[in-house]
Amino acid sequence: MKIVVTGGAGFIGTNFIYHLISKYSDYKIICIDKLTYAGNKNNLASLFKNPNFKFYKADICSKSLIEKIFSKERPDIVVNFAAESHVDRSIKNPQIFLKTNIIGTSVLMDASIKYDVKRYHQVSTDEVYGDLPLDRPDLLFSETTPLYTSSPYSSSKAAADLLVLAYNRTYGLPVTISRCSNNYGPYQFPEKLIPLMFSNAMSDKQLPVYGQGINVRDWLYVEDHCSAIDLIIHKGKVGEVYNIGGNNEVRNIDIVKKILKIVGKPESLIKFVADRKGHDLRYAINSTKIKNELGWVPETKFEDGLAKTLDWYKSNIPWVEKLNKRNKF
């Protein structure tokens, strides 16, 4: 079995590759990554001597490069993590998101058709559904919730999802889509909430919190996400969308306070800043479908996952500092 993982040098892609390598000793894993600011080849350094792993530096928008790789490797499965994913960056420069997240997806699917890929899997986000009110905890996103996006990022991901389903109907490409809630865990890029707050707290810098920090997210430990995608690409039904949630709804301000408590820093470091434009209030995932069809449930409680995540960052401070310096966070 050969699996192409695009965006494999990023946060979730890195964790997914390690998941596959550790679980399937006979699989060949081919990582494709452009190595933008969020891609870090060093994440995968321990695998470069592994005969079952191969790395290609390539932009998924480059039709010639992607077809060259597919022609050589002839993958059975493609899992597309490659995406511009930071909402703030999408607000400042939407065009980059449209190119990578939509055009790049089409290039990958064209190559998948040409080289007879047996399963194309698109990794998406719960942000395509928009948001939910804070005062209706009974409301959850299901796979049939209408798409109602709030940012250029989520709009580009929703467009890609629709394109994937269209390729299934028009060309018969065997596809699946997963839409996950907020991920956290090892290797997450320092611009994201949990690593940013940890890094600032450890340096006694102010911790910027949008608005009053009342926005709610459903947090999914990255290894749980990886196990869900593993199930979908092997046992999921072609043409289907699967929601993947962590069942861990937490307000942003409460996460920040938990981090400060764990690292022993005062809450006076918190600084409330002007809210993000179009800031979604609440995300919450209904994962009943993947539970009933594939038997998947998240295994990691938020408190346990957060502790493991912060332990990883404490043990990898040079990794964080190098990225902070390179990107001037």
Side-chain angles (χ1 to χ4, degrees):
M1 180 76 75
K2 281 190 174 183
I3 301 182
V4 160
V5 179
T6 65
F11 163 43
I12 309 176
T14 291
N15 281 279
F16 186 64
I17 287 174
Y18 280 118
H19 171 88
L20 292 177
I21 290 287
S22 65
K23 186 173 179 181
Y24 302 105
S25 60
D26 57 337
Y27 281 22
K28 307 291 185 182
I29 310 301
I30 300 103
C31 174
I32 299 175
D33 201 292
K34 186 181 177 181
L35 296 180
T36 61
Y37 77 96
N40 189 346
K41 194 174 179 180
N42 291 331
N43 289 355
L44 302 165
S46 65
L47 299 179
F48 279 92
K49 292 184 179 180
N50 189 320
N52 288 340
F53 176 77
K54 190 175 289 187
F55 179 88
Y56 290 95
K57 181 180 179 182
D59 185 346
I60 63 169
C61 295
S62 173
K63 185 178 180 70
S64 60
L65 275 177
I66 293 301
E67 289 201 353
K68 184 178 180 181
I69 295 168
F70 277 47
S71 174
K72 181 179 180 180
E73 298 295 345
R74 301 287 173 145
D76 300 291
I77 297 174
V78 174
V79 181
N80 181 27
F81 290 97
E84 296 285 347
S85 63
H86 192 48
V87 174
D88 290 345
R89 290 178 184 264
S90 81
I91 293 171
K92 293 177 181 178
N93 195 344
Q95 284 71 33
I96 294 174
F97 286 70
L98 303 181
K99 182 180 179 182
T100 299
N101 298 356
I102 302 173
I103 300 302
T105 297
S106 70
V107 168
L108 288 171
M109 291 194 293
D110 286 341
S112 295
I113 292 171
K114 185 173 182 178
Y115 294 101
D116 196 28
V117 166
K118 301 301 186 292
R119 174 66 62 91
Y120 175 90
H121 182 75
Q122 179 77 1
V123 180
S124 188
T125 170
D126 60 356
E127 294 190 43
V128 300
Y129 298 123
D131 64 352
L132 298 167
L134 295 175
D135 60 353
R136 289 292 306 277
D138 58 308
L139 295 180
L140 303 170
F141 295 137
S142 73
E143 290 82 358
T144 58
T145 299
L147 306 187
Y148 190 71
T149 60
S150 304
S151 70
Y153 161 62
S154 57
S155 297
S156 69
K157 292 297 288 184
D161 285 4
L162 294 175
L163 192 62
V164 170
L165 295 174
Y167 266 64
N168 171 242
R169 181 167 180 173
T170 302
Y171 304 108
L173 179 65
V175 307
T176 43
I177 298 172
S178 58
R179 294 173 179 154
C180 66
S181 55
N182 279 41
N183 277 228
Y184 68 105
Y187 298 104
Q188 188 168 31
F189 198 69
E191 70 186 353
K192 300 294 187 175
L193 179 67
I194 290 175
L196 178 62
M197 296 300 127
F198 168 78
S199 181
N200 282 15
M202 294 299 288
S203 301
D204 294 311
K205 295 180 180 178
Q206 290 185 322
L207 280 60
V209 176
Y210 283 128
Q212 295 302 307
I214 60 174
N215 306 74
V216 174
R217 300 292 181 261
D218 175 19
W219 291 89
L220 174 67
Y221 191 61
V222 67
E223 177 56 30
D224 287 338
H225 187 193
C226 292
S227 67
I229 294 175
D230 182 0
L231 276 172
I232 293 170
I233 63 175
H234 287 95
K235 298 181 180 180
K237 184 179 178 182
V238 168
E240 293 294 317
V241 177
Y242 294 91
N243 281 350
I244 306 171
N247 298 336
N248 289 305
E249 288 187 55
V250 190
R251 297 190 310 168
N252 288 347
I253 186 62
D254 295 329
I255 290 177
V256 174
K257 289 180 178 180
K258 286 177 185 291
I259 291 171
L260 287 170
K261 184 176 180 180
I262 290 172
V263 301
K265 299 290 184 175
E267 292 186 6
S268 58
L269 288 174
I270 295 172
K271 180 184 180 182
F272 293 103
V273 299
D275 209 353
R276 169 193 287 162
K277 294 179 181 179
H279 200 177
D280 289 333
L281 292 173
R282 173 176 168 257
Y283 303 149
I285 284 277
N286 181 339
S287 300
T288 300
K289 180 177 179 177
I290 191 172
K291 177 183 178 181
N292 290 344
E293 292 189 13
L294 304 180
W296 178 88
V297 292
E299 296 181 356
T300 310
K301 295 181 179 179
F302 183 70
E303 288 73 14
D304 297 335
L306 182 60
K308 288 194 290 186
T309 299
L310 297 186
D311 283 343
W312 185 88
Y313 281 107
K314 288 176 185 177
S315 300
N316 291 274
I317 288 176
W319 181 91
V320 177
E321 290 179 341
K322 185 175 181 179
L323 290 180
N324 284 345
K325 184 177 181 180
R326 187 177 79 183
N327 295 280
K328 297 181 181 180
F329 289 122

